[in-house]
Amino acid sequence: SLLTTMILYQFITFSSQEKMYGVYTWSDTIGIGIAEELGKLLIVAFFVRESNYSHILNGILIGAAVGAGFATFETAGYIYNAGDHLIDVALLRAVTAIGGHVIWTAITGGALVAVKGKRPFSFKQLSQRHFLIYFGIVVCLHAVWDKGISFLGSEMIVFAFLTLIGWGVVYQLINIGLAEIESEKNISLKD
């Protein structure tokens, strides 16, 4: 997914503000969110298509695994470039890992399998309203995360709030996935 994202980054133009001062504009962070989430989504879609997964919980699990892999390599890059701040960067990435790429891609994976259902995977499924809502939520969470907003002088408060929103969405998808399994179990008991 990291390689896919690097290819997608070729289509993003960053603002002069970012290039000169290293400060992201909203269009920068939205572009980053779209590129990274789309890069991870393409890999999730590959695994869903290859194994023909049809349960939402499978999509959540595959998404979380892809997100964890992405986060691992991204974190390694941040630590490599941290210089004298290596420990600070490593600790920040460790503390905030619970609310980032893992849950964002879990949401995307669950939403993808929800729209796919028992049908074979098709890229048309990615344009379905139900999927686009979840994907939009993930891109927004990612964009706000990357913007570096602070509340009461702390970015950690914003990270915690975004993490709670992300986990709330994951929890909702898990409940839908459990209901899906319960429904199939009841149908098989009737047969």
Side-chain angles (χ1 to χ4, degrees), residues 79-96:
I79 291 171
Y80 180 77
N81 291 317
D84 295 339
H85 303 285
L86 182 136
I87 300 296
D88 295 336
V89 170
L91 287 173
L92 177 65
R93 297 291 295 188
V95 169
T96 59

Side-chain angles (χ1 to χ4, degrees), residues 13-23 25 28:
T13 304
F14 288 101
S15 67
S16 58
Q17 185 176 353
E18 192 279 327
K19 290 174 185 167
M20 291 177 66
Y21 307 110
V23 176
T25 65
D28 292 335

Side-chain angles (χ1 to χ4, degrees), residues 2 9 24 32 36 40 67-82 85-102 104 142 145-146 155-156 159 163:
L2 204 57
Y9 267 132
Y24 291 126
I32 291 167
E36 290 185 5
K40 293 182 292 180
F70 184 95
T72 299
F73 283 101
E74 185 181 64
T75 296
Y78 279 119
I79 291 171
Y80 180 77
N81 291 317
H85 303 285
L86 182 136
I87 300 296
D88 295 336
V89 170
L91 287 173
L92 177 65
R93 297 291 295 188
V95 169
T96 59
I98 191 172
H101 290 289
V102 176
W104 298 335
H142 195 151
W145 189 284
D146 284 353
E155 285 184 26
M156 292 304 288
F159 291 157
T163 299

Side-chain angles (χ1 to χ4, degrees), residues 41-117:
L41 169 63
L42 292 172
I43 301 307
V44 171
F46 170 79
F47 284 109
V48 166
R49 184 193 64 149
E50 288 299 308
S51 298
N52 197 27
Y53 290 111
S54 60
H55 292 93
I56 293 169
L57 296 178
N58 293 126
I60 293 169
L61 181 60
I62 293 166
V66 169
F70 184 95
T72 299
F73 283 101
E74 185 181 64
T75 296
Y78 279 119
I79 291 171
Y80 180 77
N81 291 317
D84 295 339
H85 303 285
L86 182 136
I87 300 296
D88 295 336
V89 170
L91 287 173
L92 177 65
R93 297 291 295 188
V95 169
T96 59
I98 191 172
H101 290 289
V102 176
I103 63 170
W104 298 335
T105 317
I107 292 167
T108 306
L112 169 62
V113 175
V115 298
K116 178 194 161 299

